[in-house]
């Protein structure tokens, strides 16, 4: 066992004063999961004893574990409590999971983003369980008059082997709650894990398949009103006036008004990104009545001026400049061409790339692009707010509750300790719900109405609001000598409004002469983090380009990558390389072995790709067939190194989803603009991958190592786009450079 | 506003709503049956799928005035104890990620199996193509349908 100081998590322990009396009466909470699931045989306890902020134990041994972070489908509501339960040494069937509300005193980093929840919770969550276990052991030792070191635990039982004494956790919970918090606790050896590394079902599974209320859109209270907003129809426009003469008198309508999300008298928070600060609001009794009144509302819009705002970006004040004008996708294409032809800002330079390109026998130059994308979470943006003069109670789907508490505090002029935020299960996140303007809007609307309201975005409101994945561009060049050796590499990327460059990632470090440049162009179309930001384009572009370089060099694409990685491992170029070459090579070797890379049927066309992001490594082999002129993905092999895998089947599910999501967006999806107006506003025009287009089979393999867990929500998403492009080339003889591939080139059988 | 008698999950309900109200919003706002989800409002995503006399339909496109005496079944009424073969298969394969689309997926899948106890891959593709899963759980959905169809 290794011991770990508990000091880093001490604020996770409730002050002793609140523990006086031991038992805590729970108030009804809409979000709690205190109903039985079929696997649980024990009845709910009569009394709960709070051991620390993460867990409470009932007198009958049932344990409630709080899941601190927002659940967006990455399944941390199951896997985070697994970490606590492991070290507590409780039977998983005796665990009830509750979603914790925002509580910055008890919990750290209650955020869903960057694939960091398990990585950053790995120690603190296990420590919460281990500390509670140590307190239970101490309680038993006092009760039995024996040494704590002689007491062992197993599946919720305390055991003193020498005397034969035995007790369930529940019997000792009352006393344990009074024990001093140990300064150090021992954590299990990895080989002693009984829960971590075993597949456990989604704790909300039964509720999901029986349609129980779980999501923000499902939340309701008595006498709650429904609100919807009307935002400008185009980026670059703003509200001029509304005429509510018809809408306000329609059945069920309570009020029609306009509101500003931010007042401009304070700096914006990092997630207060919002294209349309002033919107019209319709409030009424029911959703359909509000939708009908919204259609009847007459609005006048005008061109918005350019603006400059201050934003507090993680403690650093930055200036955000938004240009005026009505942009079109055709303009963006011209921006791409103009900027790519100019010199960019040099971000990394190794050796003398210019010299090597001048003496090259052959230069391969290729350009890759991708469009803006809408996140399109299946559950549209929504939030419940009940704001009075004294308090604000907010309930709904948000990835950044702590940041939004700050924003709402500023907007309402209300202390943060008067604001309660509860997170519902989310119908998808993908980064979209990092940006909580809809939550601020709900709070302002409730304050105006002096009534509880639930704000609902229609699909059209949601899809045309902005916060998109940026449009990106990448220009790659490779210099080969007369013997087809790769002697220099050049990448120049840019985007509207950000560049996707990761200058210190592979193949940087593997090539002596390397140049990375970037450029950006401002836009009034707002963007936001989209599953694996920047990587979600650059991985596919880079991996397509490497495929083409390998072909020109007459090399097998996997062997070519492995050679470069061997160079990067043994004799790296430069000192700032962001990846571990051996782990990168590890996933390529694993996928090569599992897919029998060089042995395949003649009608199957194979593409490969690998990428590193969010601290994890993923490699793919994708098998494609052409059936009736259409590409059919028969099978995808996916090899992942994300360190220790907490919940293998759930992790496999997440990786499968990343593969389907990646193929879908690379193949089919695009958001385009005409004079500032988004040209796609619902799923009849915006294409998402559907059932018949998904791979027929996905096989996921994890590298078995003992490294602490790293990210998994994002890493399986980016590389598959490259594998798809490379397999399409094998199948059709046509390279695909512009996403979505379906419109890039006609597919030929 | 008008009064409508509805047969939902074997229970008679009376609602007083605008006749144009889609049954989706009657279920969600008036009957507190929120398992049926709103996703697009134009019958393109399948999140709102319910059964009308056992046939899968998009509830966002069905005005309450069109229902008459026909029997509506929602995810809440698919089985009494959440033990419909499709629901059991969904749990066995641990299909959901975010889970938001899954009640619609289950309603489409259960209607398919109700009409065709052993669907082929192509029949599954065709029946399920109207249900979008943004998380990409399609391969598990297909596996779960096969498990359910064999049970």
């Amino acid at each position: 066992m290794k011991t770990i100081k508990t000091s880093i998590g001490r604020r996770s322990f409730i002050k002793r004063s609140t523990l006086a009396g031991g038992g805590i009466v729970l108030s009804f909470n809409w979000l709690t999961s205190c109903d039985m699931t079929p696997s649980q045989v024990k009845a709910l306890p009569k009394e709960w004893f709070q051991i620390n902020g993460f867990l409470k134990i009932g007198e009958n041994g049932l344990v409630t574990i709080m899941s601190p972070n927002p659940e967006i489908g990455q399944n941390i509501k199951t896997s985070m409590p697994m970490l606590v339960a492991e070290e507590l040494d409780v039977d998983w069937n005796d665990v009830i999971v509750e979603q914790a509300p925002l509580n910055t005193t008890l919990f750290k980093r209650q955020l869903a983003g960057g694939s960091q929840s398990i990585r950053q919770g790995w120690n603190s969550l296990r420590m919460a369980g281990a500390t509670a276990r140590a307190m239970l052991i101490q309680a038993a030792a006092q009760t039995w008059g024996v040494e704590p070191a002689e007491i062992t635990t197993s599946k919720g039982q305390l055991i003193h082997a020498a005397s034969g004494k035995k007790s369930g956790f529940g019997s000792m919970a009352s006393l344990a709650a009074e024990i001093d918090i140990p300064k150090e606790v021992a954590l299990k050896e990895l080989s002693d894990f009984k829960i971590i590394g075993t597949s456990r079902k989604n704790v909300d599974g039964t509720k999901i398949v029986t349609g129980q209320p779980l999501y923000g859109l499902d939340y309701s209270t008595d006498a709650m009103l429904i609100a919807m907003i009307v935002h400008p129809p185009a980026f670059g426009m703003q509200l001029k006036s509304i005429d509510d003469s018809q809408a306000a008198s329609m059945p069920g309508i309570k009020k029609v008004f306009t509101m500003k999300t931010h007042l401009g008298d304070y700096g914006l928070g990092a997630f207060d990104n919002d294209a349309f600060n002033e919107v019209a609001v319709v409030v009424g009794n029911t959703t359909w009545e509000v939708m009908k009144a919204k259609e009847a509302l007459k609005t006048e819009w005008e061109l918005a001026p350019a603006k400059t705002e201050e934003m507090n970006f993680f403690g650093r004040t930055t200036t955000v400049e938004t240009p005026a004008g009505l942009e079109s996708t055709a303009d963006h294409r011209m921006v791409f061409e103009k900027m790519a032809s100019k010199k960019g800002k040099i971000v990394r330079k190794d050796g003398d790339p210019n010299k090597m390109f001048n003496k090259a026998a052959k230069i391969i130059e290729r350009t890759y692009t991708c469009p803006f994308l809408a996140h399109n979470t299946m559950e549209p943006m929504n939030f419940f707010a009940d704001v009075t003069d004294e308090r604000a109670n907010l309930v709904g789907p948000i990835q950044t509750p702590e940041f939004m508490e700050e924003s709402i505090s500023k907007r309402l002029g209300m202390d943060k300790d008067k604001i309660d935020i509860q997170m519902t299960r989310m119908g998808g996140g993908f980064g979209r719900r990092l940006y909580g303007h809809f939550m601020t809007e709900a709070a302002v609307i409730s304050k105006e109405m002096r009534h509880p309201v639930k704000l609902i975005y229609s699909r059209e409101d949601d899809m045309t609001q902005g916060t998109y994945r940026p449009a990106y561009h990448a220009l790659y060049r490779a210099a080969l000598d007369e013997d087809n050796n790769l002697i220099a590499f050049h990448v120049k990327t840019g985007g509207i409004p950000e560049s996707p460059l990761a200058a210190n990632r592979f193949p940087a470090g593997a090539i002596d002469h390397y140049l990375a440049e970037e450029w950006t162009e401002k836009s009034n179309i707002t963007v936001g983090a989209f599953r694996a930001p920047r990587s979600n384009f650059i991985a596919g572009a880079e991996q397509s380009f490497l495929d083409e370089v390998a072909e020109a060099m007459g090399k097998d694409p996997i062997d070519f990558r492995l050679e470069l990685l061997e160079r990067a491992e043994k004799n790296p170029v430069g000192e700032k390389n962001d990846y571990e070459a051996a782990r990168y090579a590890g996933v390529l070797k694993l996928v090569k072995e599992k897919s029998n890379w060089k042995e395949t049927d003649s009608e199957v066309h194979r593409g490969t790709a690998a990428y590193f992001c969010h601290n994890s490594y993923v490699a793919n082999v994708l098998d494609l067939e052409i059936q009736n002129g259409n590409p059919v993905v028969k099978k995808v092999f996916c090899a992942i190194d994300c360190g220790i895998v907490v919940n293998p089947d759930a992790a496999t599910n997440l990786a499968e989803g990343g593969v389907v999501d990646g193929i879908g967006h690379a193949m089919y999806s695009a958001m385009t603009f005409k004079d500032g107006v988004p040209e796609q506003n619902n799923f009849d025009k915006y294409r998402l991958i559907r059932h018949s287009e998904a791979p027929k089979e996905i096989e996921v393999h994890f590298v078995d190592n003992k490294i602490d867990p790293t990210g998994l929500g994002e890493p399986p998403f980016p590389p598959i786009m490259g594998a798809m492009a490379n397999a399409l080339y094998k199948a059709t003889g046509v390279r695909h450079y512009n996403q979505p591939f379906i419109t890039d080139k006609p597919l030929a059988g | 506003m008008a009064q409508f008698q509805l047969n939902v999950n074997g229970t008679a309900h009376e609602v007083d709503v605008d006749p144009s109200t889609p049954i989706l919003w009657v279920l969600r706002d008036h009957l507190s049956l929120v398992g049926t989800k709103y996703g697009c409002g134009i019958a393109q995503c399948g999140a709102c799928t319910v059964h009308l006399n056992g046939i899968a339909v998009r509830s966002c496109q069905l005005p309450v005035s069109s229902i008459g005496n026909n029997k509506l079944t929602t995810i809440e009424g698919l089985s009494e104890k959440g033990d419909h073969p499709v629901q059991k298969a969904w749990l066995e394969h641990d299909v959901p990620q975010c889970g938001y689309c899954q009640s619609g997926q289950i309603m489409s899948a259960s209607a398919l199996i109700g009409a065709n106890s052993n669907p082929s891959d192509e029949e599954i593709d065709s029946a399920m193509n109207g249900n979008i899963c943004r998380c990409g759980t399609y391969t598990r959905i297909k596996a779960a349908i096969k498990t359910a169809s064999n049970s």
Side-chain angles (χ1 to χ4, degrees):
Chain A
M1 285 197 177
K2 64 175 176 181
T3 57
I4 184 162
K5 284 192 168 36
T6 55
S7 57
I8 57 160
R10 288 193 79 80
R11 68 175 182 159
S12 296
F13 296 92
I14 289 171
K15 291 190 185 77
R16 284 194 66 83
S17 59
T18 62
L19 287 172
I24 287 176
V25 179
L26 287 178
S27 58
F28 175 74
N29 178 347
W30 186 89
L31 296 164
T32 57
S33 315
C34 286
D35 50 350
M36 295 285 96
T37 56
S39 59
Q40 280 158 350
V41 288
K42 286 184 180 139
L44 280 176
K46 296 181 189 72
E47 208 171 12
W48 289 104
F49 302 97
Q50 190 97 34
I51 309 296
N52 59 43
F54 289 91
L55 65 96
K56 56 198 174 198
I57 301 177
E59 90 286 338
N60 64 349
L62 270 188
V63 178
T64 293
I65 300 180
M66 307 304 285
S67 186
N69 286 30
E71 172 64 64
I72 57 175
Q74 78 282 49
N75 207 28
I76 48 162
K77 195 172 171 185
T78 304
S79 51
M80 289 185 113
M82 283 172 71
L83 304 183
V84 179
E86 177 69 69
E87 294 290 346
L88 180 62
D89 219 8
V90 66
D91 188 331
W92 182 247
N93 289 330
D94 289 339
V95 171
I96 292 171
V97 174
E98 273 182 34
Q99 175 69 56
L102 177 67
N103 187 327
T104 52
T105 310
L106 293 179
F107 307 111
K108 282 194 280 190
R109 199 188 180 277
Q110 287 182 279
L111 186 148
S115 299
Q116 294 296 303
S117 296
I118 290 293
R119 181 169 179 250
Q120 300 210 18
W122 177 240
N123 279 332
S124 60
L125 287 160
R126 287 187 304 147
M127 199 168 59
T131 309
R133 176 177 171 274
M135 290 156 78
L136 288 161
I137 287 176
Q138 190 66 40
Q142 281 178 23
T143 305
W144 297 336
V146 301
E147 284 298 311
E150 294 170 6
I151 295 174
T152 57
T153 57
S154 176
K155 289 194 168 185
Q157 296 286 317
L158 293 144
I159 303 150
H160 186 248
S163 65
K165 286 194 167 72
K166 219 174 175 182
S167 167
F169 283 180
S171 314
M172 292 294 169
S174 167
L175 183 55
E178 299 295 319
I179 299 274
D180 282 341
I181 299 156
K183 289 199 170 61
E184 281 189 344
V185 288
L187 294 180
K188 284 184 179 177
E189 295 291 344
L190 306 188
S191 55
D192 293 331
F193 284 167
K194 293 173 190 149
I195 294 173
I196 294 171
T198 65
S199 293
R200 306 290 166 158
K201 302 282 191 204
N202 187 327
V203 294
D204 281 339
T206 301
K207 285 188 166 185
I208 291 168
V209 304
T210 55
Q212 299 308 301
L214 275 171
Y215 304 90
L217 212 63
D218 303 343
Y219 188 84
S220 66
T221 64
D222 292 341
M224 175 186 85
L225 296 172
I226 300 292
M228 297 188 83
I229 57 111
V230 182
H231 65 62
F235 295 93
M237 298 199 89
Q238 65 184 16
L239 184 66
K240 187 179 179 192
S241 66
I242 62 168
D243 171 3
D244 66 358
S245 52
Q246 193 186 342
S249 57
M250 287 174 68
I253 298 307
K254 296 286 184 187
K255 194 167 183 177
V256 179
F257 58 100
T258 65
M259 61 155 280
K260 284 186 174 175
T261 312
H262 301 287
L263 297 178
D265 54 353
Y266 54 86
L268 297 177
F271 297 102
D272 287 338
N273 194 358
D274 190 0
F276 307 121
N277 192 46
E278 189 171 18
V279 293
V281 182
V282 181
V283 184
N285 289 327
T286 64
T287 312
W288 186 245
E289 288 168 325
V290 174
M291 282 180 165
K292 299 247 294 188
K294 221 182 125 184
E295 280 175 19
L297 179 67
K298 294 187 181 69
T299 48
E300 222 181 327
W301 314 99
E302 61 188 4
L303 289 172
K307 62 178 177 179
T308 303
E309 294 164 298
E310 288 211 331
M311 182 175 267
N312 179 346
F313 199 76
F314 299 94
R316 183 166 52 87
T317 301
T318 58
T319 304
V320 181
E321 287 178 38
T322 308
L326 302 175
E327 300 172 24
S328 297
T329 299
D331 306 331
H332 295 155
R333 276 199 288 271
M334 286 167 67
V335 167
F336 279 172
E337 284 170 25
K338 181 187 80 180
M339 298 302 285
S341 67
K342 296 201 287 193
K343 281 190 175 165
K345 177 185 146 206
I346 293 176
V347 182
R348 174 166 170 157
K349 187 177 174 184
D350 296 322
D352 193 344
N354 284 344
K355 187 176 123 195
M356 300 311 281
F357 272 97
N358 284 335
K359 64 184 257 191
K362 185 177 185 183
I363 293 173
I364 306 167
E365 178 176 322
R366 299 290 182 262
T367 295
Y368 302 82
T369 69
C370 71
F372 286 89
L373 294 176
H375 292 77
N376 287 328
T377 60
M378 286 312 291
E379 179 193 16
M381 299 307 112
N382 67 87
F383 229 86
F384 170 86
D386 183 8
V387 177
T388 65
D389 291 341
E390 291 77 37
R391 296 201 70 80
N393 178 33
L394 295 128
V395 186
I398 184 71
Q399 292 179 243
T400 50
E402 190 171 350
F403 285 89
M404 291 316 299
E405 186 183 49
E406 176 84 28
S407 301
I408 287 163
S409 166
K410 284 179 175 164
R411 178 60 176 85
L412 298 179
M414 183 182 277
D415 290 345
K416 281 196 278 185
D417 60 11
K418 292 178 177 166
I419 300 171
D420 289 325
I421 297 174
Q422 296 177 70
M423 292 89 82
T424 53
R425 187 178 185 87
M426 287 176 236
F430 312 105
R432 178 60 184 87
R433 291 188 226 271
L434 294 163
Y435 308 92
H437 55 90
F438 48 88
M439 191 173 168
T440 312
E441 288 162 4
V444 173
I445 296 167
S446 175
K447 187 180 178 184
E448 170 75 20
M449 297 303 296
R450 307 185 73 81
H451 205 90
V453 297
K454 183 167 67 181
L455 170 66
I456 298 175
Y457 274 43
S458 71
R459 173 58 57 194
E460 291 83 0
D461 297 334
D462 186 300
M463 205 181 287
T464 59
Q465 191 278 337
T467 326
Y468 302 125
R469 194 281 299 273
Y472 294 126
H473 182 279
L475 172 74
Y476 281 96
R477 293 166 73 223
L480 306 186
D481 68 11
E482 279 164 4
D483 300 321
N484 276 337
N485 294 307
L486 176 62
I487 55 171
F489 193 90
H490 176 203
V491 55
K492 178 160 59 178
T493 73
I496 305 167
E498 65 161 21
S499 157
L501 185 66
N504 296 321
R505 284 191 194 155
F506 183 77
I511 301 162
D512 288 304
H513 305 278
Y514 172 92
L515 176 65
E517 305 173 72
E518 67 179 359
W519 55 267
T520 59
E521 178 85 354
K522 290 183 174 59
S523 170
N524 56 29
I525 297 168
T526 55
V527 299
F530 185 109
R531 192 178 200 174
R534 299 168 292 280
S535 303
N536 60 35
F537 164 68
I538 205 69
E542 170 205 295
Q543 291 292 310
S544 298
F545 185 66
L546 288 181
D547 204 68
E548 210 161 336
V549 173
E551 186 183 36
M553 294 169 72
K555 292 194 173 182
D556 173 87
I558 292 185
D559 291 344
F560 169 58
R561 288 170 174 83
L562 288 173
E563 283 170 24
L564 288 172
L565 287 161
E566 192 177 354
R567 164 72 203 275
E569 185 188 359
K570 290 185 174 159
N571 181 23
V573 180
E575 287 171 6
K576 275 180 68 180
N577 297 317
D578 288 346
Y579 59 95
E580 287 178 51
R583 292 180 74 184
Y584 217 131
V587 289
L588 273 164
K589 287 174 187 164
L590 184 62
V591 85
K592 187 179 177 184
E593 174 206 324
K594 295 293 182 186
S595 67
N596 283 319
W597 170 241
K598 289 190 175 163
E599 294 166 32
T600 186
D601 297 339
S602 58
E603 71 273 19
V604 170
H605 310 282
R606 307 197 111 172
T608 188
Y611 202 66
F612 162 76
C613 70
H614 300 86
N615 314 96
S616 294
Y617 303 81
V618 177
N620 297 129
V621 166
L622 183 149
D623 288 354
L624 194 76
E625 281 184 26
I626 299 292
Q627 293 176 0
N628 304 321
N630 294 314
V632 175
V633 182
K634 297 291 285 183
K635 186 163 183 177
V636 170
F637 298 87
C638 183
I640 302 174
D641 181 350
C642 60
I644 295 164
V645 178
V646 175
N647 191 359
D649 187 51
T652 300
N653 193 351
L654 198 53
E656 291 165 357
V659 164
V660 173
D661 192 8
I663 292 171
H665 281 101
M667 284 296 296
Y668 305 115
S669 305
M671 174 58 76
T672 58
F673 305 89
K674 180 70 181 165
D675 297 330
V677 178
E679 292 185 294
Q680 295 76 29
N681 66 357
N682 208 324
F683 297 126
D684 53 342
K685 300 188 191 80
Y686 193 104
R687 189 164 169 192
L688 287 172
I689 190 168
R690 288 181 181 269
H691 191 102
S692 65
E693 295 155 342
K696 303 304 169 202
E697 189 182 355
I698 304 170
E699 198 176 293
V700 180
H701 299 275
F702 293 97
V703 173
D704 184 14
N705 62 27
K706 312 294 181 211
I707 299 168
D708 285 357
T710 51
L712 190 61
E714 289 160 285
F717 179 55
I720 193 69
M721 302 184 193
M724 186 71 193
N726 296 337
L728 276 172
Y729 167 67
K730 292 282 186 190
T732 64
V734 179
R735 292 274 179 192
H736 290 69
Y737 299 104
N738 304 290
Q739 294 180 18
F741 298 149
I742 198 82
T743 56
D744 176 82
K745 294 267 164 53
L747 292 163
Chain B
M1 304 291 256
Q3 298 219 330
F4 296 93
Q5 306 277 342
L6 295 170
N7 179 343
V8 183
N9 299 331
T11 307
H13 294 272
E14 193 173 297
V15 292
D16 187 12
V17 295
D18 184 290
S20 71
T21 311
I23 201 71
L24 164 68
W25 296 112
V26 173
L27 293 169
R28 292 187 59 86
D29 283 357
H30 299 271
L31 303 181
S32 296
L33 292 169
V34 295
T36 306
K37 303 303 190 206
Y38 166 70
C40 70
I42 59 165
Q44 289 294 310
C45 78
C48 68
T49 306
V50 298
H51 295 176
L52 191 66
N53 297 333
I55 294 166
V57 292
R58 312 300 181 212
S59 64
C60 72
Q61 294 301 300
L62 273 184
V64 63
S65 57
S66 71
I67 304 296
N69 296 324
N70 295 297
K71 287 181 187 167
L72 275 170
T73 308
T74 71
I75 186 77
E76 293 92 343
L78 186 60
S79 62
E80 263 183 47
K81 296 177 178 172
D83 55 358
H84 185 283
V86 171
Q87 289 170 312
K88 283 162 72 178
W90 244 248
L91 291 174
E92 183 186 330
H93 289 271
D94 215 11
V95 172
Q97 286 185 33
C98 88
Y100 189 80
C101 75
Q102 298 294 349
S103 48
Q105 303 277 2
I106 289 168
M107 294 311 281
S108 287
S110 54
L112 167 67
I113 287 179
N116 175 358
S117 61
N118 192 19
S120 66
D121 281 13
E122 290 70 28
E123 286 166 335
I124 295 173
D125 282 350
S126 160
M128 301 305 292
N129 251 16
N131 289 79
I132 295 172
C133 173
R134 178 66 182 79
C135 300
T137 64
Y138 296 124
T139 49
R140 282 181 189 238
I141 287 171
K142 185 167 279 168
I145 291 173
K146 291 191 167 185
T147 296
S149 67
N150 290 330
S151 67

